[in-house]
């Protein structure tokens, strides 16, 4: 199968190679014609994870859902925010909806758009790893 992303799935220092592959039969190819292999970003390992996508990627909704992350619990003000904003409504879904809206505002106020910062860091990491594939260097590897 072909792939999308950098050509190497393993690197250490200036050495890089494609170790990981997906192999499919003609039956799989006929059953899932819109499938694609993605070489993802390396994070803490010398191996780049690979992902098999079967079918088209659904479009993202214009509004992103509230996402919990463990840093919320470590903030001193979180229990007070929950106590002040968990107000029982006419239904459980209404209570959750109003709390989620309040938590999203608190999250952006306290943690300053963590999702945006993560996207910027991931984009920079993608650029560094893309540059490493075309011109290996110690500086980029350390970066």
């Amino acid at each position: 199968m072909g792939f999308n992303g950098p050509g190497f799935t393993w690197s250490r220092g200036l050495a890089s190679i494609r170790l990981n592959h997906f192999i499919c039969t003609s039956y799989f190819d006929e059953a899932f014609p819109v499938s694609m292999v993605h070489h993802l970003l390396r994070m803490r390992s010398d191996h780049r994870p690979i992902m098999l996508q079967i079918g088209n990627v659904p479009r993202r909704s214009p509004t992103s859902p509230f996402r919990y992350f463990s840093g919320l619990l470590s903030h001193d003000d979180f229990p007070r925010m929950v106590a002040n904003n968990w107000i029982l409504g006419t239904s459980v879904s209404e209570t959750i909806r109003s709390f989620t809206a309040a938590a999203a505002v608190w999250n952006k106020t306290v943690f300053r758009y963590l999702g945006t910062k993560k996207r910027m860091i991931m984009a920079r990491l993608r650029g560094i790893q893309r540059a490493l594939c075309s011109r290996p260097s110690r500086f980029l590897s350390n970066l």
Side-chain angles (χ1 to χ4, degrees):
M1 295 182 74
F3 64 90
N4 179 353
F8 304 116
T9 60
W10 176 89
S11 64
R12 185 172 296 155
L14 297 179
S16 298
I17 192 167
R18 183 171 180 212
L19 290 178
N20 308 88
H21 301 266
F22 271 101
I23 299 173
C24 73
T25 65
S26 58
Y27 299 113
F28 179 91
D29 199 32
E30 288 174 15
F32 304 103
V34 188
S35 56
M36 174 61 82
V37 175
H38 297 278
H39 293 179
L40 305 176
L41 290 176
R42 282 188 323 108
M43 297 303 235
R44 294 187 174 138
S45 172
D46 52 5
H47 284 270
R48 182 180 298 275
I50 58 177
M51 174 182 75
L52 175 62
Q53 173 192 324
I54 299 175
N56 293 322
V57 177
R59 292 184 177 217
R60 292 180 57 174
S61 69
T63 58
S64 59
F66 172 77
R67 302 208 189 270
Y68 170 81
F69 75 101
S70 59
L72 293 174
L73 286 179
S74 65
H75 195 279
D76 294 337
D77 199 33
F78 184 70
R80 187 173 61 80
M81 188 281 299
V82 172
N84 291 344
N85 292 291
W86 188 262
I87 301 162
L88 294 177
T90 56
S91 68
V92 172
S93 61
E94 180 188 324
T95 301
I96 291 171
R97 191 173 20 259
S98 66
F99 174 76
T100 300
V105 170
W106 181 81
N107 184 22
K108 288 178 182 176
T109 304
V110 172
F111 291 99
R112 308 273 185 218
Y113 300 93
L114 197 59
T116 303
K117 290 178 184 177
K118 179 182 175 185
R119 276 190 297 281
M120 290 171 55
I121 290 169
M122 296 298 281
R124 184 168 185 212
L125 185 57
R126 258 190 308 280
I128 291 168
Q129 290 185 10
R130 193 175 301 122
L132 272 169
C133 287
S134 62
R135 59 183 189 287
S137 78
R138 286 254 181 250
F139 173 75
L140 287 175
S141 184
N142 291 336
L143 190 57

